[in-house]
Amino acid sequence: MIEARQLTKVYRVPVKKPGLWASVRSLWDRETRDVHAVDHLDLTIGEGERVGFLGPNGAGKTTTLKMLTGLLHPTSGSCTVAGHTPRDRHPDFLRSVTLVMGQKQQLLWDLPASETFVLNRALFDLDRVAFQRSLDELVELLDLSPFIDQPVRNLSLGQRMRCELAAALLHRPKVLFLDEPTIGLDVQVQAAVRTFVAEYNRRNGATVMLTSHDMKDVASIAERIVLIDGGTIRFDGPLQQFRQRFGGGRRLVVRGVEDLGDLGFTSAEGRASATVEPDQVNGLLQRVLERHPDAEVTVEDPPLEEVLATAFGGKEG
Amino acid sequence: MLEARRTVQALAALIRVSVATAMQYRSNLLFGLATALLVDAMRVAPLLLVYGQREQVAGWELPHALLVTAFFFLLFGVQAAVLEPNLGEAVQAVRSGALDLMLMKPVDAQLLVSLRKVDASSLFPVVSALLVGGVALGMTELPGPVDVLLAVALFGSGVVSLYCLWLLAICVSFWFVRVDNLRFLLWSATDAGRWPIDVFRGPVRWILTAVVPVALITSFPAQALRGAWDVELLGTSAAVSAAFLLGSRWAWRRSLAAYASASS
């Protein structure tokens, strides 16, 4: 469904030295350097797959997404999505994909969201029956009916995002590109969005490619992780394998006990936790139970944030 | 053919939305009408002053010069209601990255970006055009059907050229963030369209025909209405419009290929 071969995007950016003379000089003598935002990337994503596309800031996530949607033209290499070359912007291609960006909106600001839906019906040339069926389903799944007829400018951020999703999915795309879809939303709406995307994938067999800073998004939506850094792929595999590779340890959590600092535990909100290598779990467990025989102890996978921090080598995700 | 029908349908829907948005601010519409009529009356005044002193200016009598003014008001209405708001919106969309979501629609991106909006409150110069045109035709012999048809075709061809010129300004915004000066330049240059083209000589005349083609929109159709058209006039209009259409389409494709999109 999505295929990229040696996909590369190079930006030429100006380099300016500090100082007034350097500024004046740059008027006629401009130095530039090439930044390889995406560097010979190979990627294959099958129909119906849900992929989390992760990487630190500036890793090339959004640039890749924009090339796969045809917004940016690759410097070299090629890609096909749903059987089309995205940069050609063939109408059939645009009817089979959608792009949701958490920081950009397509809703008409001064009018109710329902007006954007009607407009999108015309832009995508949807027949009345298909449009109404799609809309009814989205209104139900995203619970839009209480505010669908209010001007968008009067809606909360969460309500707007739910309407954005509906506007982006009215034409029932086969491929969803989601770029930070839950950014800035409160916890409840984030959960609603995640449930919705998973449900849309289940009902329509759609392919989902997701970038997010929120690891809960990734954990609940993606079954496969592609990790990109410096424009190249560093990991590509199932979520479980990703945890094992970058977060090979196990996390011991002890509830109601706080005096375990000397054993390497950190305490917060009435629970102490420590992450150790799998072969050290039994020994540590024994020492905890010697000290607190009645303690409630659980052994868990480390949280995805921790795994990701290891994978990024301390860079901001 | 199917795609053309879809494009027309999509543009009609966009324009319906922009009119619905304008209706949210009804007082703007009334204010637009009042100021447009006042400003246009002041625009006719210098012409009347000149013709108060002499019968002809560069071979044009008052009724024909008034026809030029009527076409100028039509140009003014199209420019203010369609070309200018879309330029503003497009430049903002390129700068903010909102263009991303427009490009995801299965409609010709050039038309979607450059004709998505109509500012209904700026359409009132069309009323002035009808008034002045009516007065001018009342003062002279009525034109024949062929003359009228040619005038409409010449005006349409001129508007296409002007649209292409504004599209080129949108293309410039892909490389340069600020295009305000270009906007002022376009408005100043089109202001010369108030006068019959024969008033101008040498390079200025050439510029107003082929570079900022206001003569195509105002003088050429007025000439057709007075029956003074010839093959050269029709050929010039068609050639300039074709060159603008091809050139601006090429520039648009280059601009999209160079689009860097604002980072998220």
Side-chain angles (χ1 to χ4, degrees):
Chain A
M1 187 53 79
I2 299 174
E3 191 143 338
R5 289 284 160 266
Q6 297 290 298
L7 195 63
T8 301
K9 182 71 185 178
V10 179
Y11 291 111
R12 181 153 290 178
V13 294
V15 183
K16 197 185 85 63
K17 295 191 176 89
L20 180 63
W21 172 239
S23 298
V24 175
R25 197 179 152 81
S26 73
L27 288 176
W28 68 87
D29 182 19
R30 176 162 284 208
E31 273 183 53
T32 58
R33 74 184 168 91
D34 288 344
V35 176
H36 287 72
V38 176
D39 200 2
H40 297 91
L41 182 131
D42 287 319
L43 182 66
T44 304
I45 297 176
E47 197 173 336
E49 270 197 271
R50 301 188 306 269
V51 176
F53 196 47
L54 308 180
N57 284 336
K61 303 186 294 285
T62 303
T63 302
T64 304
L65 231 57
K66 285 181 175 174
M67 284 194 282
L68 293 176
T69 47
L71 297 175
L72 295 180
H73 293 200
T75 309
S76 65
S78 64
C79 55
T80 55
V81 175
H84 295 273
T85 303
R87 63 178 286 174
D88 293 344
R89 300 189 63 257
H90 192 282
D92 289 343
F93 162 71
L94 294 167
R95 282 193 191 93
S96 57
V97 302
T98 200
L99 171 66
V100 176
M101 290 187 272
Q103 290 169 321
K104 288 173 189 164
Q105 69 161 41
Q106 63 166 311
L107 297 172
L108 299 160
W109 186 248
D110 288 315
L111 299 172
S114 51
E115 290 280 358
T116 304
F117 301 155
V118 173
L119 176 65
N120 276 3
R121 189 198 142 209
L123 292 174
F124 285 93
D125 194 30
L126 304 174
D127 75 60
R128 199 171 291 275
V129 177
F131 166 73
Q132 201 54 51
R133 201 173 45 229
S134 223
L135 182 61
D136 290 346
E137 188 182 348
L138 290 165
V139 167
E140 182 213 320
L141 277 174
L142 289 160
D143 193 19
L144 307 182
S145 42
F147 49 84
I148 193 170
D149 290 322
Q150 286 175 28
V152 169
R153 60 171 186 264
N154 295 340
L155 301 183
S156 70
L157 183 61
Q159 290 170 332
R160 282 211 300 274
M161 193 60 216
R162 278 143 72 186
C163 292
E164 280 290 336
L165 275 170
L169 297 172
L170 271 174
H171 60 289
R172 288 186 185 266
K174 287 183 274 182
V175 186
L176 275 59
F177 293 100
L178 309 175
D179 191 15
E180 307 276 359
T182 59
I183 199 159
L185 302 179
D186 65 42
V187 179
Q188 270 179 322
V189 182
Q190 284 182 355
V193 168
R194 282 178 206 124
T195 311
F196 169 76
V197 172
E199 181 62 18
Y200 183 89
N201 162 268
R202 196 185 62 76
R203 286 193 190 188
N204 298 284
T207 308
V208 180
M209 192 165 174
L210 163 89
T211 78
S212 181
H213 276 64
D214 192 322
M215 291 310 120
K216 291 193 192 72
D217 284 354
V218 179
S220 62
I221 295 175
E223 57 196 359
R224 171 180 162 194
I225 299 292
V226 174
L227 183 70
I228 181 174
D229 194 7
T232 54
I233 290 178
R234 281 191 46 196
F235 173 85
D236 183 356
L239 179 62
Q240 198 51 38
Q241 194 183 328
F242 177 72
R243 284 182 188 278
Q244 283 163 4
R245 167 86 69 89
F246 294 101
R250 287 285 174 276
R251 164 177 275 225
L252 256 71
V253 178
V254 188
R255 288 186 175 73
V257 184
E258 297 208 334
D259 61 340
L260 296 172
D262 57 320
L263 296 180
F265 281 78
T266 51
S267 301
E269 295 169 9
R271 42 184 266 164
S273 61
T275 303
V276 293
E277 291 300 314
D279 59 355
Q280 296 172 353
V281 171
N282 284 345
L284 187 61
L285 188 60
Q286 211 167 2
R287 291 172 73 184
V288 171
L289 291 175
E290 275 167 12
R291 199 178 295 180
H292 298 288
D294 300 328
E296 183 193 340
V297 186
T298 51
V299 182
E300 303 171 352
D301 283 332
L304 207 49
E305 278 87 348
E306 221 170 78
V307 180
L308 213 61
T310 312
F312 293 166
K315 290 185 198 172
E316 189 196 344
Chain B
M1 201 59 212
L2 177 67
E3 289 308 326
R5 184 187 62 75
R6 282 175 168 159
T7 303
V8 170
Q9 179 184 312
L11 288 179
L14 278 166
I15 290 167
R16 190 187 62 77
V17 163
S18 71
V19 173
T21 308
M23 292 302 170
Q24 300 250 321
Y25 305 96
R26 272 176 302 179
S27 52
N28 278 4
L29 283 175
L30 293 174
F31 186 70
L33 176 63
T35 49
L37 292 178
L38 205 64
V39 168
D40 291 347
M42 289 164 70
R43 284 213 166 89
V44 177
L47 196 70
L48 297 178
L49 271 175
V50 171
Y51 278 95
Q53 303 292 320
R54 51 202 296 186
E55 288 276 301
Q56 280 197 349
V57 176
W60 290 71
E61 291 171 6
L62 177 61
H64 302 135
L66 280 175
L67 283 177
V68 173
T69 306
F71 281 113
F72 172 72
F73 287 153
L74 281 181
L75 172 161
F76 199 84
V78 170
Q79 192 154 277
V82 183
L83 303 180
E84 158 123 39
N86 281 299
L87 172 74
E89 189 112 323
V91 170
Q92 183 57 28
V94 172
R95 193 183 304 173
S96 68
L99 186 66
D100 291 355
L101 293 173
M102 291 187 199
L103 293 177
M104 293 305 295
K105 303 288 186 267
V107 179
D108 184 277
Q110 177 193 317
L111 296 176
L112 186 66
V113 168
S114 58
L115 290 177
R116 62 184 288 113
K117 203 172 177 187
V118 172
D119 177 5
S121 66
S122 298
L123 269 175
F124 291 114
V126 175
V127 177
S128 312
L130 294 175
L131 286 174
V132 174
V135 170
L137 289 175
M139 292 164 70
T140 181
E141 232 178 275
L142 280 182
V146 176
D147 298 339
V148 172
L149 275 178
L150 282 177
V152 171
L154 284 166
F155 180 74
S157 151
V159 166
V160 166
S161 303
L162 189 68
Y163 157 76
C164 294
L165 194 63
W166 280 79
L167 178 65
L168 288 170
I170 294 177
C171 294
V172 169
S173 74
F174 281 76
W175 281 275
F176 303 100
V177 177
R178 295 197 61 173
V179 294
D180 289 347
N181 291 343
L182 210 54
R183 196 164 58 89
F184 294 134
L185 189 70
L186 283 170
W187 273 109
S188 311
T190 46
D191 206 42
R194 284 200 273 166
W195 303 96
I197 188 64
D198 297 313
V199 169
F200 303 100
R201 294 267 168 258
V204 177
R205 186 188 171 110
W206 183 81
I207 287 171
L208 293 178
T209 307
V211 182
V212 188
V214 281
L216 264 62
I217 313 172
T218 60
S219 290
F220 281 28
Q223 242 163 297
L225 281 184
R226 59 189 267 220
W229 53 270
D230 54 22
V231 175
E232 190 189 335
L233 186 85
L234 302 179
T236 305
S237 179
V240 171
S241 299
F244 264 109
L245 264 178
L246 292 174
S248 62
R249 186 67 180 176
W250 175 82
W252 171 256
R253 285 176 187 272
R254 287 290 308 265
S255 306
L256 270 195
Y259 178 50
S261 178
S263 58
S264 59

